[in-house]
Amino acid sequence: MYVLGIETSCDETAVAVYHADKGLIAHTLHSQIQTHNEYGGVVPELASRDHVRKLIPLIRQVLRDSRLKPSDIGGIAYTAGPGLMGALLVGAATARSLAWAWQVPAIAVHHMEGHLLAPMLEERPPDFPFVALLISGGHTLLITVEGIGRYRLLGESLDDAAGEAFDKTAKLLGLDYPGGPALATLAAQGKPRFKFPRPMTDRPGLDFSFSGLKTFTLNTYQNSERSGRDKADIAFAFQQAMAETLAIKCRRALQQTGLNRLLVAGGVSANLEIRRQLEQMCKQTRADLFFPRPQFCTDNGAMIAYAGCQRLLAQQSQDLNIFARPRWPMDELLNI
């Protein structure tokens, strides 16, 4: 079965085709970075309008690339949440309309489940069960994964998500949007001159809190000379603190669950320093570590097509109602 996957949760329009036996057939993506750059962040109305302009052309393109006709598609998967309501509605309405016109089932996919399953697209996917760290602009989650849809929350961010902390810190340092990659680039030029706290690592538990780290960064910057050298060293210290905090919590989660497999996904998982520290931690604990390839760390249609395919194969689908939830807890997902 060929499944068309549509992703429009925020500022990237992405489409892919996945086959249950042949794997990923084709995928394409349009980024809105240039659209939002001058505003220093995502403008929801502009994001929605750009999805409207780009989605149908991208669907046509991915069908051409995969040499498929609409009649070849056996199902459609689309991101229904979490995300920006207007952006989600573009993808949901398009997917539902095509499903009705092509007379195929459609399935609403949870955006973070898509990220969670992105490493399954790799040649060496993890076996169940495992611990998953999902780090993105809107979420920081530690989850035990026993199977698709069988998730147990271990810990989450009590305030800013990891990606949000990266973006806000980049903004206070005067860096361009998107802030996370810009801060990582600047940090590569920094030296270990400042020592930042590793928040909530001095107490038991697996929850995260990054608002204090962001405030500490702001105070350090305001008390510095605010030179280019200071900015680089502050970015370095912030990134080190973030990466080490994530590594400490993941080590704790592996010990608490008794599992020896760690999966890390989401946009922030592309950060090289975070990868390095997690790799070092897993080597010390003799745990296996799994990442998606960098192009599948950020939002993409391939992960949505894959997740949707698994649920459609399990005979899950919804009626013709347009379903979109800007807030959607993962524990409400159905098991397969």
Side-chain angles (χ1 to χ4, degrees):
M1 177 174 63
Y2 290 101
V3 176
L4 181 73
I6 295 173
E7 156 62 26
T8 63
S9 64
C10 189
D11 59 345
E12 286 160 325
T13 315
V15 182
V17 171
Y18 181 87
H19 189 272
D21 298 318
K22 301 175 183 178
L24 183 62
I25 305 301
H27 64 97
T28 186
L29 179 145
H30 166 72
S31 174
Q32 299 180 5
I33 287 178
Q34 294 304 317
T35 301
H36 303 289
N37 182 270
E38 62 178 299
Y39 303 101
V42 178
V43 181
E45 180 64 22
L46 294 180
S48 301
R49 292 180 181 182
D50 206 44
H51 288 312
V52 171
R53 285 191 293 265
K54 300 296 184 180
L55 184 52
I56 294 299
L58 288 181
I59 292 173
R60 289 172 175 159
Q61 178 185 332
V62 84
L63 288 176
R64 286 195 303 269
D65 292 346
S66 56
R67 297 181 180 180
L68 297 174
K69 304 182 297 295
S71 58
D72 297 319
I73 301 299
I76 300 177
Y78 66 95
T79 302
L84 301 175
M85 188 59 172
L88 292 170
L89 283 172
V90 175
T94 302
R96 287 292 179 205
S97 299
L98 291 177
W100 180 82
W102 297 349
Q103 298 184 352
V104 296
I107 186 76
V109 173
H110 192 290
H111 181 71
M112 295 310 295
E113 183 175 42
H115 278 303
L116 173 64
L117 298 178
M120 300 299 182
L121 295 164
E122 303 303 320
E123 292 185 4
R124 190 177 70 96
D127 294 324
F128 299 111
F130 54 80
V131 172
L133 171 66
L134 302 182
I135 39 178
S136 67
H139 299 83
T140 305
L141 302 170
L142 269 172
I143 300 172
T144 299
V145 181
E146 296 180 356
I148 298 177
R150 298 165 59 194
Y151 312 131
R152 181 169 63 90
L153 181 66
L154 299 173
E156 61 185 332
S157 178
L158 304 179
D159 39 59
D160 290 351
E164 185 179 6
F166 263 102
D167 289 340
K168 289 180 177 179
T169 300
K171 192 168 186 178
L172 73 86
L173 292 176
L175 303 179
D176 290 336
Y177 169 84
L183 189 145
T185 299
L186 181 62
Q189 306 168 29
K191 296 181 179 180
R193 185 156 61 98
F194 299 103
K195 178 66 174 179
F196 283 15
R198 277 52 175 164
M200 295 186 71
T201 58
D202 58 348
R203 67 193 76 176
L206 296 172
D207 286 331
F208 302 89
S209 174
F210 297 118
S211 63
L213 177 60
K214 181 185 63 182
T215 302
F216 191 94
T217 305
L218 174 61
N219 292 335
T220 303
Y221 179 57
Q222 290 177 336
N223 293 327
S224 72
E225 297 180 359
R226 307 190 190 186
S227 64
R229 175 78 274 150
D230 283 341
K231 285 186 178 182
D233 293 345
I234 289 171
F236 178 90
F238 172 86
Q239 183 173 255
Q240 288 289 312
M242 175 67 74
E244 188 173 342
T245 299
L246 294 172
I248 290 171
K249 294 287 185 172
C250 286
R251 179 194 293 266
R252 193 176 294 176
L254 291 171
Q255 293 171 342
Q256 181 175 306
T257 60
L259 297 174
N260 65 349
R261 286 184 289 271
L262 175 66
L263 179 150
V264 185
V268 184
S269 68
N271 181 281
L272 296 180
E273 179 58 26
I274 290 175
R275 289 192 172 215
R276 186 190 70 80
Q277 292 214 26
L278 288 173
E279 287 168 354
Q280 183 179 33
M281 182 275 293
C282 285
K283 184 176 181 180
Q284 293 171 349
T285 59
R286 297 183 179 181
D288 294 326
L289 181 60
F290 301 86
F291 287 103
R293 70 195 79 167
Q295 64 180 318
F296 292 155
C297 289
T298 54
D299 295 351
N300 63 88
M303 66 182 190
I304 302 303
Y306 176 85
C309 183
Q310 305 312 305
R311 290 193 171 273
L312 288 170
L313 288 174
Q315 305 301 312
Q316 293 184 11
S317 63
Q318 286 103 18
D319 55 28
L320 289 175
N321 292 333
I322 295 175
F323 178 76
R325 289 185 63 179
R327 296 184 182 275
W328 188 7
M330 282 191 72
D331 58 11
E332 295 182 11
L333 292 176
L334 296 175
N335 294 350
I336 291 183

